[in-house]
Amino acid sequence: MSSETRKIKVNGGWEVGSSWILPENYAGQALILAHGAGAGMDHEFMCWFHEALGRAGLLSVKFNFPYIESGRRAPDPRGRLEATYRAVLAQVAEHPAAPRQIFIGGKSMGARISSYLAADGSALAGLVFLGYPLHPPGRPDRPRTDHWPRISRPCLFLQGTRDSLCRLDLLKPALQSLGGTVRLHIVEGGDHSFRVLKKSGRTQEEVRDEILDAIQGWLSEQSA
């Protein structure tokens, strides 16, 4: 398994860091994951899934948004976030490994930004959402789904039952507005970062393994 870091230029004069893993058992699928609003690509959550997906045989890519590169806490405007993701997607499409299927997604904010790319018609095979932020905290009356009917690619949602940014009773009917096939994998007891309470009897590693298995199984179906 080989790994490398790259600087990716974004229109507007920005440059962001990225990390790439190309496994020996690579079978032509790539998955790009973007980080959430509160932490960059080096957060432990991102590192775990980045490496695990690489070991699973995917060209695994993660990257920073410009505000993280600049050491700022407030996320960039949506247009800059989208432009950054598009620049990374273009780099993956041009990779010498020639991925035959490129999937995109991310954690929370990263998931939301990837969904805008799909709605705008970016060339991709599907989307993987690790905790989609359906609504702001405490504001279930403000769903972030206006663009969903324009998404025609297959989607995998991984959501915890204790996620304060995604009430499942609101998510389930909203999924019907998506234009592509949809799978919802519910992580029992998981919060927005898929942390579970001690009384659940499960370790964090077990929960993440469950999520990884769900992603692998879904990706295998997309390649069939």
Side-chain angles (χ1 to χ4, degrees), residues 113-146:
I113 297 303
S114 70
S115 72
Y116 287 121
L117 267 65
D120 288 344
S122 293
L124 52 97
L127 299 115
V128 177
F129 301 132
L130 289 164
Y132 188 90
L134 183 66
H135 51 76
R139 294 300 306 271
D141 58 317
R142 294 176 56 190
R144 295 160 167 161
T145 57
D146 289 351

Side-chain angles (χ1 to χ4, degrees), residues 69-93:
E69 291 287 307
S70 301
R72 292 179 285 113
R73 298 183 63 181
D76 301 296
R78 193 182 111 190
R80 188 176 299 157
L81 297 174
E82 290 184 33
T84 303
Y85 212 135
R86 287 193 184 92
V88 177
L89 178 57
Q91 289 281 307
V92 174

